[in-house]
Amino acid sequence: MQKIGRNEPCPCGSGKKYKKCCLAKEQGKATRLRDESTVAKSALDWLGGQYPDGVRTAIQTGYYTGLKKAEKQALDELPAEKKDLLSINIGEWLLTDAKIAVEDENKPVRELLLGESGSVFSDAGRSWLSSLGDRSLSLFEVRQLKPGAGLLLKDILSSESSEVWVAESKLSRGLVLWDIFGARLVQNGEGYKLSGAVYPFLRETANACKAKVLRKVKGLEPCSAEVRDICCSLITTEWLRSLVTAHSTETTEAAVTDQQVELSSDSLNTWVDEPLAILGNRSPRTALKTAAGRRSVVELLKNFENQNAHHVKLFGGEEFEFEPLWDLLGLKRDEE
């Protein structure tokens, strides 16, 4: 991008010189981005230097608390790429949800970092650390995406939440429609951005995790610390288990191959009236007559579309056009 001279007209179209208009705002934005990119590392370095034993204990008894001994040991055998992701996720957990024993008292790391005795950060850095932990880890479904630009996300653990557009470059190139992943949103001006940690799931595993979380939090205050702890613990544990059990690259490819949908544009009218085992031997059209059946059909279509998109991403070819199938069944893509 061509650099704008201080005395040139401001590109915003105000008619003022750049130095008298948007220069200060752009410089402030650049400074904020630099602070955000370095504050997490600085905070973790300070934490490890001040409380090395506390950090190690917190990871073993907090982050890994839901794992069996053999599962913990299996983490050491992960490929480098997954170890890097694990390291990032542990780091963010330490800054947002971990507690460390200090003088025989478990204290939230956020309080240690942002308190009077904590590390010295710029105002932007402190603001970023504070906002980083404002929201709980949750599960997000990809409702739309523009590779290289961003994603439209829905928090599937909160029925009251609205869809949120998140400007994001790298992740939007790796995901496909209807993927579900664990993440944390951070306030970014009037919008939101992803915090950095990402918990990728196969859709089937993510839905199983969702069901466990919703059972655990039933009847609890939605924004309570207890609900936050449950969400964080279950999402983390299910993701860790997925790393060390079945979800290697090879098994992901096998799953995509095994679950390919045998549909064609000519067979749609027949398919909607065929009994399917996954729908209790009811046809999709018959299943729609009940609320539970309708939810099952919606999930079935999402799974089909998601698997097809992954297949194309892995092996090439053209994506199947599912829109006529949604229309044929009278379903909307934003249905829960």
Side-chain angles (χ1 to χ4, degrees):
M1 181 180 294
Q2 185 178 358
K3 185 176 180 179
I4 304 168
R6 292 171 56 85
N7 292 312
E8 292 181 18
C10 187
C12 75
S14 66
K16 299 178 182 179
K17 290 183 178 181
Y18 184 46
K19 67 182 181 181
K20 295 289 187 179
C21 192
C22 292
L23 175 59
K25 182 172 66 175
E26 292 299 321
Q27 289 176 334
K29 180 180 178 181
T31 299
R32 187 180 72 251
L33 291 175
R34 285 196 299 270
D35 284 340
E36 290 176 1
S37 67
T38 59
V39 67
K41 183 180 184 306
S42 298
L44 290 170
D45 287 346
W46 179 86
L47 191 64
Q50 294 290 319
Y51 308 101
D53 293 336
V55 168
R56 284 191 290 269
T57 300
I59 293 171
Q60 290 298 321
T61 62
Y63 197 77
Y64 293 156
T65 188
L67 298 184
K68 298 176 182 178
K69 183 178 180 180
E71 292 172 328
K72 293 180 183 179
Q73 292 173 339
L75 293 174
D76 294 330
E77 307 302 321
L78 292 174
E81 182 181 358
K82 291 188 176 181
K83 282 185 176 179
D84 288 344
L85 181 57
L86 176 60
S87 179
I88 291 170
N89 290 359
I90 289 175
E92 185 171 296
W93 173 81
L94 284 168
L95 300 180
T96 56
D97 291 283
K99 295 180 180 179
I100 288 181
V102 179
E103 299 177 352
D104 298 324
E105 180 184 355
N106 279 335
K107 293 187 176 181
V109 168
R110 291 182 71 200
E111 292 183 9
L112 296 174
L113 290 169
L114 299 174
E116 293 182 0
S117 61
S119 183
V120 178
F121 302 108
S122 66
D123 289 344
R126 292 181 67 84
S127 177
W128 170 250
L129 274 180
S130 179
S131 61
L132 181 65
D134 283 346
R135 285 176 166 255
S136 170
L137 188 66
S138 196
L139 292 173
F140 294 92
E141 181 180 68
V142 179
R143 295 288 177 89
Q144 294 177 24
L145 78 164
K146 295 181 180 179
L151 312 130
L152 184 67
L153 303 177
K154 174 68 170 68
D155 185 342
I156 62 172
L157 295 182
S158 173
S159 59
E160 303 300 321
S161 68
S162 301
E163 295 176 339
V164 176
W165 175 261
V166 177
E168 209 286 331
S169 176
K170 184 177 180 180
L171 190 63
S172 63
R173 291 189 176 97
L175 297 176
V176 301
L177 187 66
W178 306 125
D179 271 344
I180 300 175
F181 63 97
R184 182 180 281 103
L185 292 182
V186 179
Q187 191 80 39
N188 182 35
E190 296 182 357
Y192 293 94
K193 64 189 295 185
L194 293 172
S195 60
V198 177
Y199 293 76
F201 286 101
L202 290 179
R203 186 173 174 88
E204 181 181 4
T205 308
N207 278 322
C209 180
K210 172 189 173 182
K212 289 182 180 180
V213 172
L214 294 181
R215 283 197 299 270
K216 283 277 189 179
V217 304
K218 187 176 181 179
L220 300 177
E221 188 65 31
C223 296
S224 66
E226 186 177 4
V227 167
R228 178 187 176 112
D229 288 344
I230 290 171
C231 290
C232 181
S233 177
L234 285 176
I235 291 172
T236 298
T237 299
E238 294 304 311
W239 176 71
L240 289 169
R241 286 208 173 106
S242 77
L243 283 182
V244 300
T245 53
H247 297 166
S248 65
T249 302
E250 291 77 12
T251 54
T252 298
E253 292 183 1
V256 170
T257 301
D258 290 345
Q259 298 181 45
Q260 270 302 284
V261 187
E262 296 298 330
L263 287 174
S264 69
S265 56
D266 296 330
S267 67
L268 296 186
N269 284 300
T270 303
W271 181 84
V272 298
D273 290 312
E274 290 180 354
L276 301 176
I278 197 170
L279 296 176
N281 291 320
R282 294 174 297 172
S283 70
R285 201 191 300 274
T286 300
L288 291 176
K289 295 178 180 179
T290 67
R294 190 178 187 91
R295 289 193 295 271
S296 296
V297 175
V298 168
E299 180 58 30
L300 182 63
L301 295 191
K302 288 181 177 181
N303 272 326
F304 281 178
E305 198 160 3
N306 181 253
Q307 290 293 335
N308 178 254
H310 274 292
H311 188 275
V312 171
K313 198 172 191 67
L314 284 169
F315 307 112
E318 294 186 7
E319 290 190 20
F320 183 80
E321 179 54 60
F322 283 89
E323 192 67 38
L325 186 54
W326 287 86
D327 292 341
L328 183 61
L329 290 168
L331 294 171
K332 297 181 180 179
R333 290 172 175 264
D334 59 357
E335 291 192 36
E336 299 295 328

